[in-house]
Amino acid sequence: MNSKMCFTLQGPFISLLTDRFGFRVVSSCGSILAAVGLFSAWAVSPKSPNIWALVILFGGVSGIGFGMMFQPSIVIVGIYFEKWRPLATGIAIAGSGLGTFAFPPILAWISKVVPESNH
């Protein structure tokens, strides 16, 4: 189980949640779930006796959270834009690629600024 698998296989379930609760609620819950998964994986990583805790927290919990954020954000673009729908969808999807490109340098900078704790 990895983050991408949780991210892509949950589409039908996220669609049902979005129909039931709305785009804003599902996206907000997804962002909280992704943050909890990432923070938990970070907090558990120095003390984890095996890799499975990281796989479940980072891959499973964060993957579900990212899927809950990504799918409604792409679907809502298709609802609100009619004439410029292809351009709007392209810009929305390019944002995830831009974030993937920008995330490693930001993490490198944070790791230099924040002192490492001795666990």
Side-chain angles (χ1 to χ4, degrees), residues 46-64:
K47 300 172 187 160
S48 178
N50 57 19
I51 195 74
W52 288 107
L54 295 176
V55 169
I56 291 170
L57 291 172
F58 187 75
V61 176
S62 296
I64 291 169

Side-chain angles (χ1 to χ4, degrees), residues 65-79:
F66 288 135
M68 289 174 71
M69 288 188 296
F70 184 75
Q71 189 203 11
S73 68
I74 300 304
V75 172
I76 199 76
V77 169
I79 292 172

Side-chain angles (χ1 to χ4, degrees), residues 96-118:
S96 64
L98 182 63
T100 303
F101 182 72
F103 200 53
I106 292 170
L107 283 178
W109 176 77
I110 290 173
S111 67
K112 289 179 184 174
V113 172
V114 176
E116 187 175 330
S117 63
N118 295 325

Side-chain angles (χ1 to χ4, degrees), residues 17-36:
L17 287 174
T18 303
D19 289 343
R20 171 93 168 127
F21 300 108
F23 293 100
R24 186 175 296 164
V25 171
V26 173
S27 295
S28 298
C29 290
S31 65
I32 292 169
L33 193 61
V36 165

